[in-house]
Amino acid sequence: MAAPAAALLWLLLLAGPAPSSSSWGSPAGGGGGGAGSAGGRGREADPGGAQAGEQRQRHDSSYGTFASEFYDMRFLSDEGYPFPTAPPVDPFAKIKVDDCGKTKGCFRYGKPGCNAETCDYFLSYRRIGADIEFELSAETDGWVAVGFSSDKKMGGDDVMACVHDDNGRVRIHHFYNVGQWAKEIPRNPARDEEGLFENNRVTCRFKRPVKVPRDETIVDLHLSWYYLFAWGPAIQGSITRHDIDSPPVSERVVSIYKYEDIFMPSAAYQTFSSPFCLLLIVALTFYLLMGTP
């Protein structure tokens, strides 16, 4: 009996411990079996938890790598330094007067030798494809305009005006002169408009098609017209009467195909440049030098 018993014991040792009935939660082995069962379940769940932790770690690592690469691509240059801040965009390019009479036509009204920033009134025009680009500037806090007329008088004229509103913006409006009154027209041919109010000056730039469908309120600019120049105050973004009683007018019809640089002295300088005034000054000087008879 001893030999078979020893052999059986040897086989049991090789096979490992046999499962106990208490492992199923029997009352007799509740404490140990419960602990063993919990430990078993813990051992069985632990690989899953470790796997989930590894997945979270890999996910966090992947997200961090993506964020790092995105930051490097978006904010760093090839050398690894931050990209420089872009310079501010000029909201309105200054009007060049050196091009007057060469690549664009200009009208200046005011002091001799004045430019777009010092003239009482300034206008330029040039052809760009199927459009005409206009630049206007005047010493006012209200509006500056140009009218296209078949004569030198107001009435029945196509008018483009740059108006400074109460919000500080400069907008392009389209008007039609009915006698001395300007009626705003909803149909506005202006595009690519930009404007600026600075140093008590209204300045603007816009394009307008050379040819338009037939409309009595919008003229074809490929034809020649007298140009009417005007500026004045505005009330709540609405234009009022122009500053001077007799606004300047081009001496002859203007062709957009001919670039000229025309200066018109303002009233203050017309007095001393008129032939009659010069003759009067000469006569007065002669009288003072010769004395009374």
Side-chain angles (χ1 to χ4, degrees):
M1 292 292 294
L8 180 60
L9 179 62
W10 178 252
L11 291 175
L12 291 175
L13 291 175
L14 291 177
S20 171
S21 60
S22 62
S23 299
W24 297 97
S26 65
S37 176
R41 288 194 298 270
R43 285 190 297 271
E44 291 173 358
D46 180 67
Q51 184 177 6
E54 291 177 0
Q55 290 178 351
R56 286 196 299 269
Q57 185 177 4
R58 287 197 299 269
H59 174 75
D60 294 343
S61 177
S62 300
Y63 179 79
T65 302
F66 168 77
S68 176
E69 291 177 352
F70 178 80
Y71 175 82
D72 293 343
M73 177 180 65
R74 175 66 180 83
F75 296 104
L76 298 181
S77 63
D78 294 338
E79 291 79 12
Y81 297 101
F83 286 117
T85 303
V89 178
D90 188 355
F92 190 95
K94 288 187 176 182
I95 298 176
K96 297 180 180 180
V97 297
D98 295 338
D99 300 335
C100 291
K102 302 174 184 176
T103 59
K104 63 182 179 182
C106 296
F107 288 91
R108 314 183 200 201
Y109 177 85
K111 181 180 179 180
C114 66
N115 56 35
E117 298 176 2
T118 58
C119 288
D120 294 352
Y121 178 96
F122 178 90
L123 175 138
S124 77
Y125 62 92
R126 64 169 177 163
R127 301 185 309 278
I128 301 179
D131 294 329
I132 301 295
E133 181 184 76
F134 289 96
E135 297 173 316
L136 285 79
S137 178
E139 187 175 353
T140 179
D141 62 354
W143 57 274
V144 55
V146 57
F148 310 104
S149 177
S150 58
D151 53 28
K152 293 185 177 183
K153 300 178 181 179
M154 290 183 62
D157 311 315
D158 178 0
V159 178
M160 302 299 298
C162 307
V163 184
H164 175 223
D165 61 24
D166 291 343
N167 295 322
R169 299 169 299 184
V170 176
R171 298 293 180 87
I172 316 302
H173 296 255
H174 179 221
F175 295 91
Y176 182 75
N177 280 342
V178 180
Q180 300 293 315
W181 176 62
K183 176 184 177 182
E184 185 164 5
I185 305 299
R187 184 186 177 193
N188 192 341
R191 56 175 172 248
D192 297 340
E193 60 183 72
E194 52 182 327
L196 174 70
F197 176 71
E198 191 175 64
N199 299 325
N200 199 43
R201 292 192 72 88
V202 174
T203 307
C204 66
R205 180 183 293 115
F206 63 91
K207 294 186 180 76
R208 171 174 158 153
V210 176
K211 297 183 179 181
V212 295
R214 184 178 180 86
D215 189 326
E216 65 175 2
T217 65
I218 304 178
V219 301
D220 282 337
L221 293 178
H222 75 281
L223 301 175
S224 297
W225 305 91
Y226 288 101
Y227 281 20
L228 311 178
F229 313 113
W231 63 98
I235 299 178
Q236 297 181 350
S238 299
I239 67 173
T240 60
R241 182 175 172 79
H242 40 70
D243 276 349
I244 55 180
D245 293 333
S246 300
V249 183
S250 62
E251 291 295 328
R252 55 184 180 275
V253 292
V254 179
S255 170
I256 61 170
Y257 302 103
K258 184 178 182 180
Y259 295 154
E260 298 181 277
D261 186 9
I262 299 176
F263 170 75
M264 297 174 288
S266 60
Y269 299 96
Q270 290 174 3
T271 302
F272 296 100
S273 60
S274 64
F276 175 78
C277 183
L278 293 176
L279 181 61
L280 182 61
I281 292 174
V282 171
L284 181 60
T285 303
F286 180 80
Y287 176 79
L288 293 175
L289 291 177
M290 296 301 297
T292 57

